[in-house]
Amino acid sequence: MGAADIVREALESSAVRSQIGQAGKRIFKANLQSPIKDGDGNILSWLWLTAVRLTSQIGPFLKSAGINVSGIWSLFVSTSQFIWNFNWNMTDDEIDQQIANSWNAIGSMLGGTLGNAFGQLVCGVLPSAYIFTFNEALGAHLLADVSEELAEEFIANLSNLIRYTFMSGVQQLLLLSFKNIRKFIKGNSVLIGYLFGDNAQKAVQAWGSANSKPWSFAKAMDDAVEAIPNEFLRNFVEEFLEEAWEGCVEAGYIVANGIDSYLAQQKLAQARTPVLGRQRYVEITPDRSNDRERIVLAGPQESLKPMIVQTLSNYQLIENRDVGSLVGMPADEYMRAKPQTVRIIITFYSVQKPPFISGNGVRLVRATYSVSDLKRSKCTWEDIKLACGGTNGYMWGRYRCTAKLNNGRKLVCMGATPDEAEDRVRALAVLSSAEIVGNPTPSEDRKKDIAGAYIKQPTRLYPAFFTIMNQYKVSGAFGSGIPLSDGIYNRKNDKIYLWTDTEPLGTSERIAELLTRPGAEDP
């Protein structure tokens, strides 16, 4: 069958077309030209829908053109200045000439944008591409530099062109609207004269004539300021109005830039949310027996998971370690005392439970007492806490009590009164195998602050924890020992809580392990 034998009505497209529209005719309507009316027959509904559709179309355009809140504020400022300086007696010919000048400026900017891009392309990209054909390394290097420069120049010029076109369009719209409204008012000058008198009719008819004097809000304001007879007041008003406008513009740009920055941060956070998860806040209680000690972590969900594991690991690593306990001693004790064997270091705080930090304007007080030659029969959790004053601790203050021991060392405690300090010295001395020689000596610490008050004020201290340090002499253990003047010593230490109401689980076993001395020369 040849081409001449094809019947038009037999084509499948014709059959489909006959089933749609009105007798196969498809009718297209422009939404912005459709005079939609409401139930009362007026055109307000059409105006509203038209504004909504225009807004929906302008929105993506502004977004693609890179116009943000700062751009909107810049548009407002330029439009306000245009209206403020606008000559309301401008003739129709002057309006047409100003609109033509705006279009001519757009043509100049468009030519400059395309010309710059053409020059960059012809004199930069094409030579670099030609060099790439016989020297790939050099050509790739040149293409990267030239393409980057071309993109930056073109985007900057295009952005300025779009911004100026948009602002110029707004100003042209205002000019055309003013021209049409004035023409409408002048066309009804007879009605205005009937309502407001002959003078009003003559003023309307003379509005925008060729011999009209220029009039603008700016000119009227300048004339009013210049009419002030007092020079001081005239200068004050002139500077006040000028600086007020400049300050308003600068503050508006600051607010607009701040909004843009905030929106950019929110957009970046939303872009990262699918990868890292939502912002989460986690409260960790590492020790269930102490509700006062809590750790708060914040961050994206996926980032918090390793942070939680690391936080719990660090807590378990250092909770029973006493980093601040040293084996050193005062110089006078070092000269006359015997080598240390087993001793206990007890730490008190003015806070009953961890975390041991200050709060509510109250100063944190910390006291540490060392008892040498620990008596093994008294080395139990109950005996040690009883020697510290029990759960309620004791009153600490500026009175110092010093007791000499028969092993060449001293035991020193501070108390709110001399008797309180001596009672604490005698209670802690029970834990040592050494005995007090003579009577303990009390003294007073009278250090004062700037206000003249004693620095060491009476404060109740509570036992927090104790550390048992077991140092014993071994033979030939250079890899694990500590070289001292008279041999090699091995050292064991651990930290055990005292702030709990009951003995922590496994404390007896830990104390027994600390008191052992494997490999010691003097078991």
Side-chain angles (χ1 to χ4, degrees):
M1 187 171 71
D5 299 327
I6 297 176
V7 181
R8 181 177 181 275
E9 288 76 8
L11 295 176
E12 184 178 356
S13 59
S14 299
V16 173
R17 187 179 294 110
S18 64
Q19 298 176 5
I20 62 175
Q22 300 176 358
K25 298 179 181 179
R26 289 176 290 182
I27 301 175
F28 295 90
K29 292 183 179 181
N31 289 334
L32 298 180
Q33 297 176 357
S34 176
I36 304 174
K37 298 182 179 181
D38 59 12
D40 297 333
N42 57 42
I43 205 167
L44 294 178
S45 178
W46 174 80
L47 291 174
W48 173 255
L49 292 177
T50 300
V52 171
R53 291 164 184 159
L54 282 174
T55 304
S56 64
Q57 294 179 9
I58 291 175
F61 169 74
L62 295 178
K63 185 176 181 180
S64 62
I67 298 178
N68 44 25
V69 180
S70 301
I72 295 174
W73 176 251
S74 178
L75 173 64
F76 171 78
V77 171
S78 62
T79 304
S80 300
Q81 291 177 342
F82 173 78
I83 295 175
W84 181 255
N85 296 289
F86 178 70
N87 180 14
W88 295 90
N89 280 334
M90 184 184 300
T91 63
D92 292 346
D93 294 338
E94 291 176 346
I95 292 176
D96 296 337
Q97 183 62 37
Q98 189 167 346
I99 293 176
N101 293 336
S102 298
W103 279 112
N104 294 335
I106 293 175
S108 176
M109 294 186 65
L110 179 60
T113 300
L114 297 180
N116 180 269
F118 180 79
Q120 295 272 357
L121 181 63
V122 172
C123 299
V125 176
L126 293 181
S128 300
Y130 177 73
I131 295 174
F132 183 81
T133 58
F134 59 85
N135 191 332
E136 295 183 358
L138 178 59
H141 177 73
L142 293 177
L143 280 174
D145 294 341
V146 174
S147 301
E148 182 180 0
E149 183 68 20
L150 172 62
E152 291 180 357
E153 290 285 340
F154 182 73
I155 292 175
N157 293 334
L158 182 61
S159 177
N160 293 331
L161 175 62
I162 293 175
R163 186 176 292 107
Y164 177 80
T165 302
F166 186 77
M167 294 181 179
S168 178
V170 173
Q171 293 179 359
Q172 293 179 23
L173 179 61
L174 293 175
L175 287 173
L176 290 175
S177 301
F178 170 72
K179 179 180 176 181
N180 294 330
I181 292 174
R182 186 173 64 182
K183 184 181 297 184
F184 174 78
I185 295 175
K186 293 181 69 173
N188 294 274
S189 59
V190 177
L191 177 61
I192 294 176
Y194 177 76
L195 295 176
F196 301 100
D198 296 338
N199 293 332
Q201 182 178 355
K202 292 178 181 180
V204 169
Q205 291 177 350
W207 188 11
S209 59
N211 56 353
S212 299
K213 293 182 179 181
W215 188 93
S216 64
F217 292 109
K219 186 175 183 304
M221 179 63 70
D222 291 340
D223 293 341
V225 172
E226 292 297 330
I228 298 176
N230 190 313
E231 183 177 0
F232 173 84
L233 182 60
R234 183 171 61 252
N235 294 335
F236 170 80
V237 173
E238 183 179 0
E239 291 297 327
F240 176 84
L241 295 176
E242 183 178 354
E243 294 298 330
W245 170 251
E246 292 181 358
C248 179
V249 172
E250 292 178 1
Y253 277 114
I254 293 174
V255 173
N257 291 331
I259 295 175
D260 290 337
S261 300
Y262 177 79
L263 294 178
Q265 293 176 1
Q266 294 296 319
K267 186 177 181 180
L268 179 60
Q270 292 176 2
R272 296 172 60 185
T273 296
V275 179
L276 300 179
R278 297 173 55 191
Q279 186 77 6
R280 299 287 187 179
Y281 298 90
V282 180
E283 185 179 87
I284 303 175
T285 305
D287 188 355
R288 295 183 179 180
S289 61
N290 181 22
D291 294 335
R292 188 174 179 270
E293 187 172 16
R294 299 178 182 180
I295 303 172
V296 178
L297 301 177
Q301 181 175 339
E302 295 301 323
S303 300
L304 278 179
K305 293 179 180 180
M307 291 175 60
I308 294 174
V309 177
Q310 182 179 4
T311 301
L312 293 176
S313 301
N314 293 338
Y315 182 85
Q316 294 177 0
L317 182 65
I318 67 174
E319 65 169 339
N320 290 327
R321 305 294 189 272
D322 193 353
V323 182
S325 296
L326 302 176
V327 187
M329 65 183 74
D332 56 345
E333 291 188 4
Y334 179 80
M335 297 300 296
R336 66 175 183 273
K338 300 177 181 179
Q340 295 213 54
T341 55
V342 181
R343 67 168 176 162
I344 182 172
I345 301 174
I346 306 174
T347 301
F348 295 78
Y349 282 101
S350 57
V351 179
Q352 196 167 8
K353 293 183 177 181
F356 300 113
I357 57 177
S358 58
N360 299 327
V362 180
R363 183 173 63 94
L364 181 67
V365 178
R366 179 179 184 269
T368 302
Y369 302 133
S370 176
V371 181
S372 59
D373 295 340
L374 182 63
K375 185 184 297 184
R376 296 176 181 268
S377 61
K378 291 292 183 178
C379 193
T380 63
W381 189 87
E382 292 83 0
D383 291 335
I384 295 173
K385 187 160 186 177
L386 180 61
C388 296
T391 304
N392 295 325
Y394 84 104
M395 289 300 296
W396 173 90
R398 68 177 184 273
Y399 293 95
R400 178 185 293 105
C401 185
T402 304
K404 294 182 179 181
L405 304 179
N406 58 2
N407 59 1
R409 294 188 175 86
K410 298 178 182 179
L411 182 58
V412 180
C413 290
M414 303 294 296
T417 62
D419 293 338
E420 182 76 23
E422 183 177 351
D423 292 342
R424 194 54 43 210
V425 165
R426 294 187 180 277
L428 293 177
V430 175
L431 303 177
S432 176
S433 59
E435 297 181 354
I436 298 176
V437 178
N439 293 323
T441 303
S443 61
E444 184 179 2
D445 188 345
R446 298 191 177 188
K447 295 180 181 178
K448 297 182 179 181
D449 56 14
I450 299 177
Y454 289 113
I455 295 179
K456 293 183 174 62
Q457 293 292 329
T459 306
R460 180 164 295 278
L461 299 187
Y462 305 92
F465 54 85
F466 67 89
T467 302
I468 295 179
M469 302 190 70
N470 187 1
Q471 182 174 276
Y472 53 93
K473 190 174 183 179
V474 296
S475 57
F478 290 97
S480 60
I482 303 171
L484 297 179
S485 58
D486 58 344
I488 305 300
Y489 283 79
N490 203 1
R491 181 186 301 164
K492 298 165 64 177
N493 65 329
D494 197 359
K495 183 170 70 175
I496 301 174
Y497 293 144
L498 279 174
W499 58 266
T500 57
D501 295 331
T502 58
E503 179 179 339
L505 185 65
T507 298
S508 301
E509 291 78 3
R510 292 168 62 187
I511 293 177
E513 173 63 23
L514 289 172
L515 295 178
T516 58
R517 309 175 69 186
E521 292 185 359
D522 50 346

